[in-house]
Amino acid sequence: MEVELKLSLDPVHATRLRHAPPLAGVKAATRHLHSVYLDTPAWDLVRRRIAFRVRKAGSQWLQTLKAEAPSVGALTRRPEWEVELARGHHDLALLPKEAISLLKGLDTDLIGPAFATDFRRTTWLVAHGGARMEVALDLGEIRGGEQVLPLSEVEIELKAGPREALFDLALALLDHVPLGVEPRSKAARGYALAGAVTPGPVKAVAPGLAPGMLAGQSWALLAEAALVQMVGNVPGFLVAPDETEYLHQLRIGLRRLRTMAGLAASLGRARPAWDKGLKDVMGDLNGARDWDVLLHETLPRLDATLQAPPLGRAMKLRLGREGQAARDAAQAAIASPVFARLVLEIGRDLLVPSPAAELMRTWAAACLETRWQGVLKRGRGFDGLDAAQRHRLRIAAKRLRYTADVLGSAFAGQRKFMDRLASLQEHLGALQDNVVASRMVSGLGTRSQAMRFDAGRLVGVLAGEREGRGQGGGKAWRALARSRPFWHAKTGKAGIRPGKR
């Protein structure tokens, strides 16, 4: 089982890594590695999450098969089988039975070259924190067809000792070298380059929670799943500026992690120190998200209203520049060593077991009930709530929904309640987006009379839309308030009737 951390490095900082104090006095070894990754014309191996390669290291040929697994933050754990070859052609017969079993049902005669990696690897064998690890600096390229992708990364592989030492060494290196987050294996990037897969936003995947699982173990698995989602969207967010879904899914993973941080106290854990870092990152991302909503949702929706006359070219350009500036700032925050440190700190903390021995289902029901009572309290007398009160209700509903998203897998029959909760949240969220959009447009500041006119028109249209929407939402609220929460299924509890609130 291979256990390693993978981090990105700008090649201009390679010398800083070589002279970093954690590597001082450790003899380095450098060699040239050329690898050819293999698959069938139909990409059968990648569909099974298998990476199969033949690598030349000096005069030695090696054949390796890896069963891929998603990285938890920067940490990767995956089965790996490696055997020597007499020459540079793959030979499946040399693999152990366990590895060959992963290829069952495939026409292995069709397996051939798919893409290649070519790089220089400098390695250091380091003793740190009671563990032995190999630090590898890889500089080179990945080639798929006619396309070439630069390769510059640091891998820290555990040879013996506790996994926590991986994070401790990575954090020590980060004190001296600006490292970044890289959740993708070389194989994953190569397959994308070769056209075998089309990268896309990483959505939430519920981990397998067994009925009798303890709350502490469940908490760790749920937090890991949120970390996978958050970090998995980092590469796409950094390189695909026109795809807004990467930012959206990154923020969902971040919110889920913050939800788990908020639930830590219910398990006898202190609120994680990394929650403050997540809050700061969310602040860095909020501006880009708000501009995405304004440019890609609000303006297209209001386009018909603003056609007489249409918004001026100067205003459109100004809005676009503001949106790009917000995205640039968000990308800089995610690409920074500060974010990499945060990811490493979260990953290390999730290795520490929770003392809670309560059953997951019991714990989840108690957490959900607390959030639900907060919603009921803030929604009392819904039709008479002012803007500030509806905003507080929106926050309470959002907290309940995030908690239900991560803990709801312990229960059946969630759909009706979750649909009603989502309906209320969407109504309240649309109002908040309207308020934020008005604030953003009002704050543009310009000496141009034409742009001031356009800004005034936009703010006026938004105000009219807000007034209309502010009268609604009652139907969504009453439907939710009458609902039986899915975690009440066996207790006979029900929601409070709207007339009594």
Side-chain angles (χ1 to χ4, degrees), residues 86-214:
R87 53 197 178 92
H89 298 286
H90 69 278
D91 187 348
L92 295 174
L94 297 177
L95 291 170
K97 291 182 179 179
E98 185 180 4
I100 293 175
S101 68
L102 299 176
L103 308 177
K104 186 177 180 180
L106 296 183
D107 185 350
T108 56
D109 290 337
L110 297 176
I111 293 177
F115 62 91
T117 63
D118 195 80
F119 56 91
R120 290 179 64 82
R121 167 169 287 180
T122 303
T123 58
W124 298 262
L125 288 174
V126 179
H128 188 93
R132 287 191 301 108
M133 292 164 281
E134 180 185 81
V135 178
L137 168 63
D138 293 341
L139 297 172
E141 61 187 24
I142 302 173
R143 295 195 296 268
E146 299 298 320
Q147 299 191 73
V148 177
L149 182 69
L151 175 64
S152 178
E153 64 187 26
V154 176
E155 293 182 356
I156 309 175
E157 182 179 352
L158 184 67
K159 298 297 186 181
R163 288 180 294 164
E164 292 87 343
L166 284 169
F167 293 94
D168 293 337
L169 178 56
L171 288 165
L173 289 171
L174 195 57
D175 288 336
H176 306 279
V177 188
L179 301 170
V181 171
E182 179 49 84
R184 303 165 299 173
S185 66
K186 293 180 183 69
R189 282 169 280 172
Y191 276 119
L193 200 64
V197 295
T198 302
V202 178
K203 297 187 177 182
V205 177
L209 301 178
M213 190 173 285
L214 298 182

Side-chain angles (χ1 to χ4, degrees), residues 48 156 225 350 389 396 440 445 461 484:
R48 296 191 182 192
I156 309 175
L350 294 182
Q389 291 170 324
M440 290 159 60
V461 170
R484 180 187 297 274

Side-chain angles (χ1 to χ4, degrees), residues 15 19 44 52-53 110 132 197 253 266 282 288 322 333 364 375 397 399 426 442 473:
T15 300
H19 294 94
D44 292 304
F52 184 37
R53 74 173 184 230
L110 297 176
R132 287 191 301 108
V197 295
S266 65
M282 184 62 87
E322 294 290 338
V375 170
R399 287 175 177 166
E426 287 166 8
S442 298

Side-chain angles (χ1 to χ4, degrees), residues 457-481:
R457 293 172 61 212
L458 264 174
V459 170
V461 170
L462 287 166
E465 184 182 70
R466 185 164 61 250
E467 183 176 352
R469 285 184 172 178
Q471 303 304 315
K475 182 178 179 180
W477 166 249
R478 285 184 284 275
L480 176 65

